[in-house]
């Protein structure tokens, strides 16, 4: 790969490529909620600041209670984390030295965290362009794995697998005694949302991961949670440091999880904007993944590598996510977030210009 690895750091991209950043840059590589943080949460930041003076509750009691109420599971089935990323690290520690299968393309942290714990990594590839699951082939791979990471809705494709596929995967993992780590970081952007949380709370072969980063646009706060069978959750929780979540995050988490309207507004907004962009892409001879969430893959089918288009868009001040570091995609796609209307318009205008001049 000769392009810089990145996510949400546009200045770095321009610097690494020796390019001058235009005056206005729009970051389409970041896939948090374009409508931002709920007003009910923003209104409280000031009130929560004194929480930094004291040690936070190391047992996360109030946050766990709120998650338990929302998800209808017992608090003992829950482990809040300093972002879903911390929970992935803790799971990798728990899996130290084991055979781990990663269903690709997927979030790169699964592999990074498991490699740091000397796990033996193998891949199962979802085949482009539809990125569907070949059940027979996956079944074979699962038999040799102690654990498997599966991301639904998938990052980077945005494809949301339905409940029947998830049920098949969960049942197959029980049958072959493989621990399934199901990452639902983007579950609440999908309509209808598909979740296996209820099943996770009493299964020794299923863990479900959630992130509050994406829907509530709080990437800097670091907040996520894990749901699993209490004994399993306890084993993973033992690997967490004391006071892993800060006092403001604990309060914000409780407030975010009570938000209903903001989530509904976001899902509707994303569905409308995504459909509008997809209609444009289809009539303009671009290919896109069948995303059901707030980001999607796109490509100009006239070229195998999308590097020239990536550069062209950078010159236009639009930073998309290249896919050279997603195994199985190898730069043949670009990932774009669904943003606000005016920003999506700018992307569409640039894509028209590319077809005309590129
Ligand atoms: C699929 C997926 N899971 C987990 C994470 C980590 O989320 P958090 O910000 O909660 O650590 C990300 C972040 O990009 C992600 O894309």
């Amino acid at each position: 790969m000769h392009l810089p690895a990145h996510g949400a750091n546009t200045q770095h991209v321009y610097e690494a490529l020796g390019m001058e950043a235009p005056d206005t840059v729009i970051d389409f590589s970041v896939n948090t909620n374009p409508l931002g943080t709920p007003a009910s949460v923003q209104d409280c930041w000031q009130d929560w600041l004194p929480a930094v003076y004291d040690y936070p509750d190391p047992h996360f009691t109030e946050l766990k209670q709120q998650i338990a109420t929302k998800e209808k599971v017992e608090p003992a089935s829950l482990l809040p984390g300093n972002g879903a990323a911390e929970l992935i690290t803790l799971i990798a520690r728990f899996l130290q030295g084991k055979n781990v299968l990663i269903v690709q393309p997927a979030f790169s942290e699964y592999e990074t965290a498991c490699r740091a714990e000397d796990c033996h990594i193998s891949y199962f590839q979802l085949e482009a362009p539809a990125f569907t699951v070949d059940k027979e082939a996956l079944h074979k791979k699962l038999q040799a794995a102690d654990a498997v990471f599966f991301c639904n809705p998938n990052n980077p494709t945005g494809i949301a697998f339905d409940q029947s596929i998830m049920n098949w995967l969960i049942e197959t993992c029980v049958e072959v005694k493989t621990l399934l780590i199901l990452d639902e970081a983007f579950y609440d952007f999908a309509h209808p949302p598909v979740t296996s949380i209820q099943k996770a709370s009493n299964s020794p072969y299923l863990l479900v991961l959630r992130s509050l980063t994406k829907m509530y646009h709080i990437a800097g706060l670091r907040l996520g949670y894990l749901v699993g069978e209490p004994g399993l959750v306890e084993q993973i929780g033992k690997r967490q440091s004391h006071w892993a979540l800060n006092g403001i995050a604990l309060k914000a988490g409780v407030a975010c999880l009570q938000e209903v309207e903001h989530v509904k507004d976001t899902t509707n907004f994303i569905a409308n904007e995504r459909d509008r962009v997809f209609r444009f892409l289809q009539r303009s001879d671009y290919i896109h993944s069948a995303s059901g969430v707030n980001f999607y893959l796109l490509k100009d089918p006239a070229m195998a590598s999308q590097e020239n288009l990536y550069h062209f868009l950078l010159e236009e001040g639009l930073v998309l996510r290249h896919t050279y570091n997603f195994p199985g995609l190898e730069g043949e796609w670009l990932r774009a977030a669904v943003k606000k209307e005016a920003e999506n318009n700018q992307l569409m205008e640039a894509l028209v210009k590319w077809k005309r001049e590129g």
Side-chain angles (χ1 to χ4, degrees), residues 22-229:
D23 290 342
T24 314
V25 170
I26 305 177
D27 187 1
F28 278 88
S29 73
V30 67
N31 48 14
T32 54
N33 190 339
L35 300 185
T37 305
S40 61
V41 173
Q42 288 189 47
D43 289 348
C44 296
W45 289 132
Q46 200 65 31
D47 297 343
W48 292 334
L49 281 182
V52 299
Y53 300 129
D54 299 318
Y55 276 100
D57 170 14
H59 309 295
F60 323 132
T61 314
E62 199 188 347
L63 177 63
K64 276 171 92 169
Q65 192 50 58
Q66 183 61 44
I67 303 169
T69 306
K70 184 173 154 73
E71 306 295 355
K72 300 184 180 59
V73 294
E74 289 301 317
S77 299
L78 294 169
L79 181 66
N82 196 272
E86 189 209 13
L87 296 164
I88 293 168
T89 304
L90 300 181
I91 293 168
R93 281 184 199 156
F94 173 71
L95 295 174
Q96 192 177 51
K98 295 266 169 60
N99 293 319
V100 174
L101 178 66
I102 301 176
V103 177
Q104 295 276 18
F107 184 46
S108 58
E109 278 302 305
Y110 312 146
E111 177 161 355
T112 309
C114 288
R115 285 215 182 278
E117 298 299 332
D118 297 324
C119 294
H120 308 282
I121 312 276
S122 57
Y123 302 120
F124 177 82
Q125 209 67 46
L126 300 167
E127 295 273 338
F131 301 102
T132 46
V133 175
D134 176 341
K135 288 184 183 170
E136 203 179 312
L138 180 54
H139 187 278
K140 273 194 203 131
K141 283 282 222 174
L142 285 170
Q143 283 170 322
D146 298 306
V148 57
F149 281 88
F150 192 98
C151 187
N152 190 44
N154 178 278
N155 179 11
T157 68
I159 291 173
F161 294 97
D162 66 21
Q163 194 69 63
S164 70
I165 303 237
M166 287 300 100
N167 289 347
W168 172 82
L169 184 60
I170 290 166
E171 283 156 25
T172 305
C173 284
V174 172
E175 178 200 321
V176 299
K177 298 190 166 39
T178 299
L179 176 64
L180 168 60
I181 301 114
L182 190 51
D183 184 345
E184 296 186 347
F186 291 96
Y187 103 104
D188 41 9
F189 288 93
H191 185 68
V194 167
T195 179
S196 303
I197 263 192
Q198 290 291 322
K199 291 193 171 78
S201 64
N202 57 16
S203 166
Y205 294 108
L206 177 60
L207 293 170
V208 170
L209 269 174
R210 290 279 183 80
S211 169
L212 276 72
T213 292
K214 315 295 181 179
M215 175 55 76
Y216 305 102
H217 188 60
I218 49 170
L221 202 56
R222 316 306 303 130
L223 204 46
Y225 55 93
L226 172 71
V227 182
E229 185 272 318

